[in-house]
Amino acid sequence: MELEIKAWYDKALEAGNGEKDALKEGITKAIEAAVHIHRGMSPKSLSESIAVALYEGLTALGKNDEETFQFAFERLIDTVQKPKEKEIERLIAEIDRLQRHLSIEEEELQRSLRELFSGLERAASKLPASERQLWREALENTELEHVEGLGILNETVEAALVAALEETETIESSIREVIRQITHKALGEGMLSAARIRAILTTILMKASELAEATPTKAKEIIHGTVYGLNDALISTVRQLKEQLSFAPEEIRASHVANWEELIKMLSRSDELYREIIEDVASRNSPFVRDILADSANILGDHFAELKRISQETIEIARKKLATLAKEAAIKGVELKEQLTSEAKKLGTKAWKKALEVAEAYKSKIEK
């Protein structure tokens, strides 16, 4: 490989550039041309070939000093990396566009889902009278399965709580059961994560707190029923997860390891997480509601223990799955780790030698 450093250098001089700037332009233009012509080469082969040509070209010009070589190396790295940097910038812009598109699609999905259920509900009027009730019950159960996806969790909870207040004398037990159902369905719609649990439980507790504030004579029943119902839903959701993990296939993709680790972390403190959620909601409310929420958290007692127990059993199963995945990941990652360690040692040794050279030069200067 040849680099036309001299040709570009002479051109720059003719254009009126100073000697130093002309040399830099000559090096830059020559490297850019070489990288473009040999873009099919691997970075390793390309850098080796260009380095040899650089040495020959700069030596011929009598410019083979350390500063010039360092400038040339930096230009080579910049030139080779520039397309990758542009691609990264393009991908970042694409991520932004996709996020906006995702938001639009999520809204469209909710709208489409609502329309689907509306169509199914209207279809009931065309059925024989004897079949309508069965149809509607099946539809209501299906809608509950998609309450979070419909974006109506807040409204559903409010309607359920109001209905329990108006239609039953056993307010606390009725609220407990309806909240358990709604929460379990909502949690089952997506990945079980601390952030999602916090968002769903906070939404439900806040709505119950609002209703309790507006109905002080029934406040204790509303909040106690909601707190117990949420705890029941967490227990049933974790128990369901435990069963799913027990029968999950062993061939789980290695890319899921991070999710397993997050899952284990969340399960290890599921009872603490729920208590934190209650305390957070309490801090946002009036002293009246805050006291009832605090009291509810304190009297949960054995229910927190049950949540902790089932979570621990689920962790043990998840860890077995994670151990299998970790073995595979360790085998694949050992070569990369060795390579990075070797490169780090090499660079560290070079830095030490460079520091010694600088120290020796400084020492010689002082002695003179």
Side-chain angles (χ1 to χ4, degrees):
M1 181 187 294
E2 289 186 11
L3 291 180
E4 297 181 353
I5 298 176
K6 187 175 187 312
W8 288 107
Y9 172 62
D10 290 342
K11 251 185 208 181
L13 287 174
E14 289 172 9
N17 290 328
E19 187 175 326
K20 192 171 184 179
D21 288 340
L23 180 61
K24 288 183 176 180
E25 185 168 340
I27 293 170
T28 302
K29 295 287 187 182
I31 288 175
E32 286 176 350
V35 170
H36 178 72
I37 293 169
H38 301 283
R39 57 183 176 274
M41 293 176 68
S42 70
K44 184 177 180 181
S45 299
L46 182 65
S47 64
E48 183 180 354
S49 299
I50 289 180
V52 172
L54 271 171
Y55 176 78
E56 293 172 352
L58 291 173
T59 301
L61 287 170
K63 305 291 185 182
N64 53 347
D65 56 274
E66 183 183 339
E67 184 182 345
T68 304
F69 280 135
Q70 186 172 344
F71 174 80
F73 295 154
E74 287 173 352
R75 293 291 71 72
L76 173 59
I77 291 168
D78 286 347
T79 304
V80 173
Q81 295 294 86
K82 195 177 294 180
K84 291 291 182 187
E85 289 171 358
K86 285 184 177 178
E87 177 63 8
I88 289 171
E89 288 175 4
R90 186 193 69 78
L91 288 172
I92 290 172
E94 182 67 5
I95 288 170
D96 289 340
R97 186 191 68 79
L98 287 172
Q99 285 178 335
R100 289 194 297 272
H101 183 64
L102 177 63
S103 178
I104 293 169
E105 286 297 316
E106 285 176 343
E107 290 176 7
E108 174 62 21
L109 180 63
Q110 287 186 351
R111 186 190 65 78
S112 175
L113 196 54
R114 285 194 292 270
E115 288 185 2
L116 281 169
F117 282 121
S118 177
L120 289 169
E121 193 171 336
R122 287 176 62 184
S125 62
K126 301 176 183 178
L127 297 175
S130 59
E131 300 291 332
R132 287 177 195 166
Q133 186 58 30
L134 182 65
W135 177 279
R136 287 200 171 100
E137 286 177 3
L139 180 57
E140 286 169 4
N141 288 333
T142 307
E143 283 179 313
L144 271 177
E145 296 283 355
H146 296 274
V147 65
E148 191 188 10
L150 284 164
I152 54 171
L153 178 60
N154 198 51
E155 294 81 356
T156 303
V157 171
E158 182 177 19
L161 291 173
V162 170
L165 281 177
E166 293 176 347
E167 298 178 17
T168 179
E169 293 180 1
T170 55
I171 294 172
E172 185 174 324
S173 59
S174 297
I175 287 178
R176 178 173 180 169
E177 177 55 24
V178 75
I179 291 297
R180 183 196 68 78
Q181 287 186 29
I182 292 173
T183 308
H184 181 69
K185 303 288 186 185
L187 289 173
E189 279 192 56
M191 185 179 292
L192 196 64
S193 66
R196 232 177 122 256
I197 289 174
R198 189 180 294 278
I200 291 172
L201 267 60
T202 298
T203 296
I204 295 171
L205 264 179
M206 284 299 293
K207 183 50 64 178
S209 298
E210 288 174 16
L211 187 60
E213 188 76 55
T215 322
T217 57
K218 305 294 182 183
K220 188 171 289 188
E221 291 96 324
I222 293 169
I223 291 177
H224 283 190
T226 302
V227 169
Y228 278 111
L230 290 173
N231 193 73
D232 292 344
L234 282 172
I235 292 170
S236 61
T237 300
V238 175
R239 184 177 287 116
Q240 185 179 54
L241 176 64
K242 175 189 169 185
E243 292 170 1
Q244 290 169 344
L245 289 179
S246 297
F247 298 103
E250 294 296 330
E251 300 80 18
I252 302 171
R253 293 188 301 122
S255 61
H256 288 172
V257 170
N259 292 338
W260 286 117
E261 290 172 341
E262 184 62 32
L263 176 69
I264 289 172
K265 182 180 176 182
M266 184 276 293
L267 289 172
S268 68
R269 57 184 306 275
S270 57
D271 57 325
E272 296 172 26
L273 175 63
Y274 184 30
R275 189 180 287 276
E276 286 172 7
I277 293 168
I278 295 173
E279 290 172 354
D280 176 56
V281 172
S283 69
R284 303 188 204 180
N285 277 283
S286 67
F288 170 68
V289 172
R290 190 184 309 146
D291 289 344
I292 301 174
L293 280 166
D295 180 60
S296 300
N298 291 333
I299 63 175
L300 269 171
D302 293 340
H303 298 278
F304 270 144
E306 172 64 11
L307 176 58
K308 194 172 184 66
R309 184 191 67 77
I310 195 69
S311 294
Q312 192 57 47
E313 290 176 2
T314 308
I315 286 172
E316 290 172 11
I317 295 171
R319 278 184 174 147
K320 289 178 184 177
K321 304 292 182 184
L322 180 58
T324 302
L325 297 173
K327 286 178 185 176
E328 296 174 4
I331 293 169
K332 291 178 182 178
V334 70
E335 292 181 4
L336 178 61
K337 184 178 179 181
E338 288 174 357
Q339 181 185 344
L340 291 174
T341 302
S342 174
E343 290 174 0
K345 284 180 179 177
K346 218 160 55 171
L347 193 57
T349 303
K350 288 178 181 177
W352 170 246
K353 287 180 180 177
K354 188 68 178 174
L356 282 179
E357 288 173 11
V358 172
E360 287 296 327
Y362 181 70
K363 183 180 176 183
S364 299
K365 186 176 178 183
I366 291 174
E367 288 175 352
K368 288 178 182 178

